[in-house]
Amino acid sequence: MNRPPNFNRLGGLYRWLEMASFGPWLWWCRCAFLADLGACRRALILGDGDGRFTARLLRANPNVHIDAVDASLAMLQSLGRRAAPHAGRVRTHLADARYWQPDATPAAQPYDLVVTHFFLDCLTTPEVQALAARFHPALSPDALWLVSEFAVPPGWYGHLVARPVVCGLYLAFGWLTGLTVRALPDHSSALDASGLILRKSRTWLAGLLVSELWSATPSIRP
Ligand SMILES: C[S@@+](CC[C@H](N)C(=O)[O-])C[C@H]1O[C@@H](n2cnc3c(N)ncnc32)[C@H](O)[C@@H]1O
């Protein structure tokens, strides 16, 4: 079992690094399908980070309760500050999401939303596959899975721009956090293999970023 990357020294800086490198695009990518999440009641946010999306979701949906899992204490502390006005609806879990087990008692409600914003890229394809297979039984039949990720589109732009950007990010995060993964996982085939169905997708920055909404069953909620 290898250790998860250590994002502790990026906790307070993460937002500013993001703004300096990608401006508002990562934020737009995370929020692309926010309007589709209005009916969600129980969300699981994996690799939650500094809680900006969690706080946004809590404001947008007054009925949602969130379990936020992250391996970084500093990130969860930032999350706690941002989500403080809605603290009663968030539980944080300092854990490696690859091994964290959701509450499996009979009284536990299934999740109707899983969120992985720029988290699956910290994992290998087999790890994403194992994660999706492990959490699938904890999902309600109408559950949604929201993904934001980097991507390398085909063609010259992918070859000359997107791939070097992604390689640079992996080198930087490897140096800053000890992340050992060096290539984007094939999260689509991993989610697909676990029975999830891609419902909506949108690209940003000519395909360098993707927002995706997957569902557990063929019928998707509005
Ligand atoms: C690139 S950041 C993305 C954070 C946030 N989701 C966002 O959209 O900005 C990756 C986050 O995943 C967390 N992380 C990475 N590997 C993890 C693991 N195996 N288990 C739990 N958290 C992990 C890191 O601590 C960090 O907060």
Side-chain angles (χ1 to χ4, degrees), residues 194-211:
S194 81
L196 292 161
I197 300 155
L198 179 62
R199 290 291 154 205
K200 294 185 181 183
S201 70
R202 182 166 176 189
T203 60
W204 311 81
L205 294 177
L208 175 63
L209 301 174
V210 294
S211 311

PDB file of all heavy atoms in Angstrom, residues 194-211:
ATOM      1  N   SER A 194     -17.534  -0.036 -14.156  1.00  0.00           N
ATOM      2  CA  SER A 194     -18.267  -0.272 -12.910  1.00  0.00           C
ATOM      3  C   SER A 194     -19.772  -0.081 -13.103  1.00  0.00           C
ATOM      4  O   SER A 194     -20.534  -0.126 -12.140  1.00  0.00           O
ATOM      5  CB  SER A 194     -17.763   0.647 -11.798  1.00  0.00           C
ATOM      6  OG  SER A 194     -18.356   1.912 -11.931  1.00  0.00           O
ATOM      7  N   GLY A 195     -20.195   0.148 -14.349  1.00  0.00           N
ATOM      8  CA  GLY A 195     -21.628   0.211 -14.638  1.00  0.00           C
ATOM      9  C   GLY A 195     -22.192   1.618 -14.685  1.00  0.00           C
ATOM     10  O   GLY A 195     -23.397   1.800 -14.873  1.00  0.00           O
ATOM     11  N   LEU A 196     -21.349   2.628 -14.526  1.00  0.00           N
ATOM     12  CA  LEU A 196     -21.847   4.004 -14.609  1.00  0.00           C
ATOM     13  C   LEU A 196     -22.000   4.418 -16.077  1.00  0.00           C
ATOM     14  O   LEU A 196     -21.321   3.885 -16.955  1.00  0.00           O
ATOM     15  CB  LEU A 196     -20.898   4.945 -13.875  1.00  0.00           C
ATOM     16  CG  LEU A 196     -20.876   4.739 -12.355  1.00  0.00           C
ATOM     17  CD1 LEU A 196     -19.623   5.342 -11.747  1.00  0.00           C
ATOM     18  CD2 LEU A 196     -22.107   5.338 -11.698  1.00  0.00           C
ATOM     19  N   ILE A 197     -22.895   5.363 -16.288  1.00  0.00           N
ATOM     20  CA  ILE A 197     -23.202   5.775 -17.662  1.00  0.00           C
ATOM     21  C   ILE A 197     -22.954   7.269 -17.803  1.00  0.00           C
ATOM     22  O   ILE A 197     -23.457   8.058 -16.990  1.00  0.00           O
ATOM     23  CB  ILE A 197     -24.687   5.463 -17.977  1.00  0.00           C
ATOM     24  CG1 ILE A 197     -24.932   3.966 -17.836  1.00  0.00           C
ATOM     25  CG2 ILE A 197     -25.076   5.961 -19.357  1.00  0.00           C
ATOM     26  CD1 ILE A 197     -26.355   3.620 -17.536  1.00  0.00           C
ATOM     27  N   LEU A 198     -22.192   7.642 -18.823  1.00  0.00           N
ATOM     28  CA  LEU A 198     -21.900   9.060 -19.035  1.00  0.00           C
ATOM     29  C   LEU A 198     -23.135   9.741 -19.601  1.00  0.00           C
ATOM     30  O   LEU A 198     -23.666   9.341 -20.636  1.00  0.00           O
ATOM     31  CB  LEU A 198     -20.728   9.229 -20.004  1.00  0.00           C
ATOM     32  CG  LEU A 198     -20.337  10.665 -20.317  1.00  0.00           C
ATOM     33  CD1 LEU A 198     -19.886  11.414 -19.059  1.00  0.00           C
ATOM     34  CD2 LEU A 198     -19.244  10.721 -21.376  1.00  0.00           C
ATOM     35  N   ARG A 199     -23.609  10.769 -18.908  1.00  0.00           N
ATOM     36  CA  ARG A 199     -24.822  11.475 -19.320  1.00  0.00           C
ATOM     37  C   ARG A 199     -24.545  12.792 -20.005  1.00  0.00           C
ATOM     38  O   ARG A 199     -25.206  13.143 -20.968  1.00  0.00           O
ATOM     39  CB  ARG A 199     -25.703  11.739 -18.081  1.00  0.00           C
ATOM     40  CG  ARG A 199     -26.302  10.520 -17.515  1.00  0.00           C
ATOM     41  CD  ARG A 199     -27.351   9.984 -18.481  1.00  0.00           C
ATOM     42  NE  ARG A 199     -27.528   8.570 -18.323  1.00  0.00           N
ATOM     43  CZ  ARG A 199     -27.985   7.768 -19.276  1.00  0.00           C
ATOM     44  NH1 ARG A 199     -28.264   8.233 -20.467  1.00  0.00           N
ATOM     45  NH2 ARG A 199     -28.151   6.500 -19.038  1.00  0.00           N
ATOM     46  N   LYS A 200     -23.630  13.548 -19.448  1.00  0.00           N
ATOM     47  CA  LYS A 200     -23.363  14.872 -20.004  1.00  0.00           C
ATOM     48  C   LYS A 200     -21.865  15.123 -19.904  1.00  0.00           C
ATOM     49  O   LYS A 200     -21.235  14.704 -18.932  1.00  0.00           O
ATOM     50  CB  LYS A 200     -24.053  15.963 -19.204  1.00  0.00           C
ATOM     51  CG  LYS A 200     -25.554  15.950 -19.234  1.00  0.00           C
ATOM     52  CD  LYS A 200     -26.080  17.174 -18.479  1.00  0.00           C
ATOM     53  CE  LYS A 200     -27.595  17.204 -18.447  1.00  0.00           C
ATOM     54  NZ  LYS A 200     -28.105  18.407 -17.795  1.00  0.00           N
ATOM     55  N   SER A 201     -21.341  15.844 -20.871  1.00  0.00           N
ATOM     56  CA  SER A 201     -19.951  16.255 -20.718  1.00  0.00           C
ATOM     57  C   SER A 201     -19.742  17.595 -21.409  1.00  0.00           C
ATOM     58  O   SER A 201     -20.506  17.973 -22.308  1.00  0.00           O
ATOM     59  CB  SER A 201     -18.988  15.208 -21.273  1.00  0.00           C
ATOM     60  OG  SER A 201     -19.076  15.174 -22.658  1.00  0.00           O
ATOM     61  N   ARG A 202     -18.743  18.282 -20.942  1.00  0.00           N
ATOM     62  CA  ARG A 202     -18.433  19.590 -21.494  1.00  0.00           C
ATOM     63  C   ARG A 202     -16.921  19.777 -21.412  1.00  0.00           C
ATOM     64  O   ARG A 202     -16.301  19.316 -20.449  1.00  0.00           O
ATOM     65  CB  ARG A 202     -19.155  20.633 -20.650  1.00  0.00           C
ATOM     66  CG  ARG A 202     -18.951  22.000 -21.150  1.00  0.00           C
ATOM     67  CD  ARG A 202     -19.903  22.995 -20.557  1.00  0.00           C
ATOM     68  NE  ARG A 202     -19.499  24.282 -21.079  1.00  0.00           N
ATOM     69  CZ  ARG A 202     -19.973  25.426 -20.680  1.00  0.00           C
ATOM     70  NH1 ARG A 202     -20.886  25.463 -19.739  1.00  0.00           N
ATOM     71  NH2 ARG A 202     -19.549  26.558 -21.208  1.00  0.00           N
ATOM     72  N   THR A 203     -16.366  20.391 -22.413  1.00  0.00           N
ATOM     73  CA  THR A 203     -14.918  20.609 -22.369  1.00  0.00           C
ATOM     74  C   THR A 203     -14.617  22.100 -22.261  1.00  0.00           C
ATOM     75  O   THR A 203     -15.432  22.950 -22.629  1.00  0.00           O
ATOM     76  CB  THR A 203     -14.221  20.041 -23.621  1.00  0.00           C
ATOM     77  OG1 THR A 203     -14.751  20.681 -24.769  1.00  0.00           O
ATOM     78  CG2 THR A 203     -14.399  18.550 -23.730  1.00  0.00           C
ATOM     79  N   TRP A 204     -13.426  22.363 -21.747  1.00  0.00           N
ATOM     80  CA  TRP A 204     -12.954  23.736 -21.572  1.00  0.00           C
ATOM     81  C   TRP A 204     -11.526  23.815 -22.077  1.00  0.00           C
ATOM     82  O   TRP A 204     -10.807  22.817 -22.082  1.00  0.00           O
ATOM     83  CB  TRP A 204     -12.971  24.116 -20.076  1.00  0.00           C
ATOM     84  CG  TRP A 204     -14.254  23.802 -19.378  1.00  0.00           C
ATOM     85  CD1 TRP A 204     -14.643  22.590 -18.878  1.00  0.00           C
ATOM     86  CD2 TRP A 204     -15.326  24.697 -19.118  1.00  0.00           C
ATOM     87  NE1 TRP A 204     -15.887  22.686 -18.316  1.00  0.00           N
ATOM     88  CE2 TRP A 204     -16.333  23.977 -18.440  1.00  0.00           C
ATOM     89  CE3 TRP A 204     -15.539  26.058 -19.368  1.00  0.00           C
ATOM     90  CZ2 TRP A 204     -17.525  24.544 -18.022  1.00  0.00           C
ATOM     91  CZ3 TRP A 204     -16.727  26.627 -18.941  1.00  0.00           C
ATOM     92  CH2 TRP A 204     -17.701  25.869 -18.287  1.00  0.00           C
ATOM     93  N   LEU A 205     -11.110  25.042 -22.420  1.00  0.00           N
ATOM     94  CA  LEU A 205      -9.741  25.263 -22.897  1.00  0.00           C
ATOM     95  C   LEU A 205      -9.376  24.261 -23.997  1.00  0.00           C
ATOM     96  O   LEU A 205      -8.351  23.581 -23.931  1.00  0.00           O
ATOM     97  CB  LEU A 205      -8.739  25.176 -21.733  1.00  0.00           C
ATOM     98  CG  LEU A 205      -8.863  26.271 -20.664  1.00  0.00           C
ATOM     99  CD1 LEU A 205      -7.872  26.027 -19.524  1.00  0.00           C
ATOM    100  CD2 LEU A 205      -8.631  27.654 -21.257  1.00  0.00           C
ATOM    101  N   ALA A 206     -10.274  24.172 -25.000  1.00  0.00           N
ATOM    102  CA  ALA A 206     -10.051  23.328 -26.186  1.00  0.00           C
ATOM    103  C   ALA A 206      -9.838  21.856 -25.843  1.00  0.00           C
ATOM    104  O   ALA A 206      -9.164  21.131 -26.564  1.00  0.00           O
ATOM    105  CB  ALA A 206      -8.885  23.870 -27.007  1.00  0.00           C
ATOM    106  N   GLY A 207     -10.406  21.421 -24.728  1.00  0.00           N
ATOM    107  CA  GLY A 207     -10.333  19.998 -24.380  1.00  0.00           C
ATOM    108  C   GLY A 207      -9.319  19.667 -23.306  1.00  0.00           C
ATOM    109  O   GLY A 207      -9.199  18.507 -22.906  1.00  0.00           O
ATOM    110  N   LEU A 208      -8.613  20.679 -22.791  1.00  0.00           N
ATOM    111  CA  LEU A 208      -7.653  20.415 -21.701  1.00  0.00           C
ATOM    112  C   LEU A 208      -8.385  20.054 -20.403  1.00  0.00           C
ATOM    113  O   LEU A 208      -7.851  19.324 -19.567  1.00  0.00           O
ATOM    114  CB  LEU A 208      -6.770  21.652 -21.487  1.00  0.00           C
ATOM    115  CG  LEU A 208      -5.804  21.616 -20.317  1.00  0.00           C
ATOM    116  CD1 LEU A 208      -4.773  20.496 -20.486  1.00  0.00           C
ATOM    117  CD2 LEU A 208      -5.081  22.956 -20.160  1.00  0.00           C
ATOM    118  N   LEU A 209      -9.617  20.569 -20.259  1.00  0.00           N
ATOM    119  CA  LEU A 209     -10.414  20.280 -19.058  1.00  0.00           C
ATOM    120  C   LEU A 209     -11.731  19.658 -19.485  1.00  0.00           C
ATOM    121  O   LEU A 209     -12.311  20.069 -20.493  1.00  0.00           O
ATOM    122  CB  LEU A 209     -10.717  21.577 -18.296  1.00  0.00           C
ATOM    123  CG  LEU A 209      -9.528  22.403 -17.822  1.00  0.00           C
ATOM    124  CD1 LEU A 209     -10.017  23.716 -17.220  1.00  0.00           C
ATOM    125  CD2 LEU A 209      -8.728  21.615 -16.783  1.00  0.00           C
ATOM    126  N   VAL A 210     -12.202  18.686 -18.694  1.00  0.00           N
ATOM    127  CA  VAL A 210     -13.527  18.125 -18.972  1.00  0.00           C
ATOM    128  C   VAL A 210     -14.359  18.122 -17.692  1.00  0.00           C
ATOM    129  O   VAL A 210     -13.847  17.880 -16.594  1.00  0.00           O
ATOM    130  CB  VAL A 210     -13.478  16.676 -19.521  1.00  0.00           C
ATOM    131  CG1 VAL A 210     -12.821  16.635 -20.884  1.00  0.00           C
ATOM    132  CG2 VAL A 210     -12.760  15.732 -18.583  1.00  0.00           C
ATOM    133  N   SER A 211     -15.655  18.424 -17.863  1.00  0.00           N
ATOM    134  CA  SER A 211     -16.640  18.253 -16.792  1.00  0.00           C
ATOM    135  C   SER A 211     -17.560  17.139 -17.272  1.00  0.00           C
ATOM    136  O   SER A 211     -18.018  17.188 -18.418  1.00  0.00           O
ATOM    137  CB  SER A 211     -17.507  19.498 -16.610  1.00  0.00           C
ATOM    138  OG  SER A 211     -16.741  20.663 -16.539  1.00  0.00           O
TER     139      SER A 211
END
